[in-house]
Amino acid sequence: MERPKLIVLVAAIFMFVTFVSYAVFLDDITKWNLPNRIYLHLVSNKTSNESTWNFLSKIFPKERKYVDGNAPNGTSQKISHSNLTVVTAYWNLGTFRKGSHQTFTTNTYLTWTKTFKYLMNPLVIYTDCVQFRDLITKERSEGKLEYQTELVFINRTSLWPFSLLDKIKQVYSQPGYPAHYPNTVNPSYSAAQHAKYAVVADAVRRNLYNTSYFAWLDIGYFRDLIGSNQYFELKIPPNFDSSRLAVNLISHRGMNTRPFSIFRSNIVWVGGGLFIGTRNVVIEFEKLYERAVLYFLDQKLMNSDQQVLYSLYSQEGRKALKPNIELQLYTPTGGGNPWFYLGYLCRKVVNRTKVEEFI
């Protein structure tokens, strides 16, 4: 064969092999088990107000498509430096009495939003209140944390707990049913407490940041830090059991107490201000929790989520509901407020003075 023809033939074969290999590459790339995130350690002493994240956003896209089946086709996944997504919510219930002498208003919760300006975890926020939506969006923007923020503005009646308002009202309307403000007086407040588990499960299904862990955090959980401007991140607590839902023990209780007494006497065993779980645990626990709420409503009993949790894991509750997810109890130590022990155990201060961030 003449030399020029041989060169052309070899070139043609090379181009064909290259084309086939590229086609196979394009076909297979979406099937790869790609890493959840790419880690870059960036250190900058620049004095401008532009954050490293804003700078990076000009170079790298902020979103990529799901490749692991965690979200429906066509949805986008955001990049995050953290493996723990925090979920919170505020529903506009107006003004209501809290306990024996306190009054909570919309402004009460608006004041507490400042702490979210410094929370560096990816944050998914659910609300039906325009004023709250606008303020917390502003706080996250001022904290240069827009890249870590997703706001879901919805009608709360689309969540299963708020479809139970009439049944809850019927329980509270029973003659002699004890009035514990607002738990057993305001059906919407009770539904809002149950909605924690619904919105966290919804955030898991969305999994916008592709994190392995999810936490519920009350709006006012870090209310004592309103005057602080320290950035912080919530980390997985020590000795975390991935098969359980982590919660804060409030008071040692006997598990032979009957749900009738737990609900009517407003007895607390664990706190509902913060809980942490893996994706699968959160999804399974929401199903269990909804079963428990419906069961106790049928028993003409209701209160906040804290009484549901105690009753669910009581001897009587276990016999009736056979829980498939267990709780991991974190027992408060030291002299701090026991209600907030788990949150401060997970809280780690982040130094952003040199704009050090990880993707």
Side-chain angles (χ1 to χ4, degrees):
M1 182 180 295
E2 297 178 4
R3 184 178 181 82
K5 292 182 178 180
L6 179 61
I7 293 174
V8 171
L9 178 60
V10 171
I13 293 173
F14 177 79
M15 292 176 64
F16 176 77
V17 172
T18 302
F19 173 80
V20 171
S21 299
Y22 182 66
V24 171
F25 171 80
L26 289 179
D27 182 63
D28 285 349
I29 190 170
T30 58
K31 302 175 184 177
W32 295 354
N33 184 23
L34 298 177
N36 289 341
R37 52 190 52 77
I38 302 170
Y39 293 92
L40 299 177
H41 188 192
L42 303 168
V43 180
S44 173
N45 291 313
K46 62 179 186 272
T47 58
S48 71
N49 291 326
E50 181 181 34
S51 74
T52 302
W53 269 102
N54 288 342
F55 171 76
L56 281 175
S57 68
K58 300 174 183 177
I59 305 173
F60 301 107
K62 290 184 178 180
E63 299 181 342
R64 64 183 175 86
K65 295 297 182 181
Y66 281 89
V67 295
D68 55 2
N70 285 327
N73 292 333
T75 59
S76 295
Q77 181 182 37
K78 299 183 178 183
I79 296 174
S80 173
H81 72 282
S82 175
N83 202 25
L84 174 64
T85 293
V86 174
V87 183
T88 194
Y90 171 70
W91 313 110
N92 189 357
L93 306 183
T95 300
F96 57 87
R97 175 178 163 185
K98 179 74 169 176
S100 59
H101 61 278
Q102 289 183 295
T103 298
F104 280 15
T105 68
T106 298
N107 285 335
T108 303
Y109 293 91
L110 294 179
T111 300
W112 289 338
T113 62
K114 183 181 177 182
T115 59
F116 288 87
K117 179 177 179 178
Y118 303 102
L119 175 65
M120 292 192 66
N121 294 77
L123 177 65
V124 183
I125 308 154
Y126 292 78
T127 189
D128 62 353
C129 176
V130 173
Q131 190 178 6
F132 178 85
R133 177 197 66 188
D134 294 345
L135 179 60
I136 200 164
T137 300
K138 178 175 177 289
E139 296 284 7
R140 297 292 285 178
S141 177
E142 289 178 353
K144 295 180 172 55
L145 290 167
E146 304 101 313
Y147 69 96
Q148 294 274 71
T149 307
E150 182 72 17
L151 195 141
V152 183
F153 191 79
I154 61 173
N155 185 331
R156 64 186 185 229
T157 59
S158 65
L159 300 171
W160 64 261
F162 287 100
S163 70
L164 302 174
L165 289 178
D166 288 342
K167 290 185 177 181
I168 298 173
K169 184 177 180 179
Q170 289 174 10
V171 172
Y172 294 171
S173 298
Q174 294 177 95
Y177 202 86
H180 301 285
Y181 290 87
N183 295 12
T184 61
V185 177
N186 187 335
S188 293
Y189 182 85
S190 177
Q193 305 311 302
H194 308 320
K196 300 173 185 179
Y197 307 90
V199 295
V200 178
D202 183 73
V204 170
R205 295 183 187 100
R206 296 169 182 261
N207 200 9
L208 294 172
Y209 298 93
N210 196 28
T211 62
S212 299
Y213 305 97
F214 284 77
W216 164 264
L217 183 68
D218 275 359
I219 292 294
Y221 195 95
F222 290 113
R223 66 193 72 177
D224 294 335
L225 297 178
I226 289 177
S228 171
N229 59 2
Q230 286 184 321
Y231 284 93
F232 66 96
E233 182 178 354
L234 295 186
K235 300 285 191 177
I236 302 302
N239 304 314
F240 176 73
D241 184 341
S242 62
S243 70
R244 297 179 175 231
L245 192 75
V247 296
N248 197 133
L249 178 70
I250 300 299
S251 180
H252 292 279
R253 301 285 185 183
M255 304 314 288
N256 59 346
T257 304
R258 298 190 62 217
F260 182 90
S261 299
I262 294 171
F263 280 98
R264 285 178 164 255
S265 299
N266 203 40
I267 305 175
V268 174
W269 170 51
V270 296
L274 171 68
F275 59 80
I276 302 171
T278 63
R279 294 193 300 248
N280 289 338
V281 165
V282 167
I283 291 294
E284 290 303 312
F285 188 80
E286 186 216 9
K287 298 174 185 176
L288 170 62
Y289 186 84
E290 183 177 6
R291 278 200 297 118
V293 169
L294 294 175
Y295 172 79
F296 291 121
L297 279 173
D298 286 343
Q299 305 300 308
K300 304 302 180 185
L301 297 169
M302 193 40 57
N303 200 306
S304 79
D305 62 319
Q306 294 171 157
Q307 287 69 42
V308 173
L309 292 174
Y310 186 12
S311 298
L312 167 59
Y313 291 99
S314 69
Q315 292 177 5
E316 188 174 317
R318 282 182 178 277
K319 183 177 179 180
L321 294 160
K322 298 176 174 56
N324 58 320
I325 299 293
E326 295 294 333
L327 301 183
Q328 182 177 10
L329 308 182
Y330 280 83
T331 304
T333 59
N337 189 328
W339 284 89
F340 305 132
Y341 170 76
L342 181 56
Y344 282 92
L345 180 66
C346 298
R347 180 179 179 268
K348 306 300 177 186
V349 173
V350 177
N351 182 4
R352 283 182 108 189
T353 57
K354 288 188 177 182
V355 198
E356 293 191 351
E357 299 182 33
F358 294 81
I359 302 177

